C-alpha cells in the first residue's frame, strides 16, 4: 500500500524561493574569452545584477 505524501507549507522569506540563480556571460579581461558569472541573488536584486 502506498504512503500518502504530506505537503508542508513554506511561509516567509526563509525558503529557497526568495533567491534566483542568475547567469551572465562576461568577457574575460586576460584572455578575451567569454566566461559565465553564476550567482544566487535575492529576487529583488536580479535587475541590479544584470546592470553591472
Amino acid at each position: 500500500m502506498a504512503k500518502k505524501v504530506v505537503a508542508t507549507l513554506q511561509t516567509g522569506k526563509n525558503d529557497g524561493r526568495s533567491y534566483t540563480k542568475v547567469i551572465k556571460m562576461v568577457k574575460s579581461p586576460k584572455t578575451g574569452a567569454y566566461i559565465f558569472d553564476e550567482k544566487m541573488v535575492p529576487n529583488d536584486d536580479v535587475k541590479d545584477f544584470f546592470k553591472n
Side-chain angles (χ1 to χ4, degrees), residues 3-7:
K3 293 184 178 180
K4 293 182 181 179
V5 177
V6 178

Side-chain angles (χ1 to χ4, degrees), residues 20-28 33-41 45-52:
T20 303
K21 182 177 183 180
V22 290
I23 303 171
K24 179 169 53 171
M25 199 164 76
V26 182
K27 197 168 199 175
S28 174
Y34 284 100
I35 57 173
F36 294 99
D37 185 16
E38 298 182 23
K39 289 187 182 176
M40 292 292 291
V41 297
D45 298 337
V46 171
K47 289 186 181 181
D48 295 334
F49 176 79
F50 287 112
K51 284 183 182 177
N52 297 335

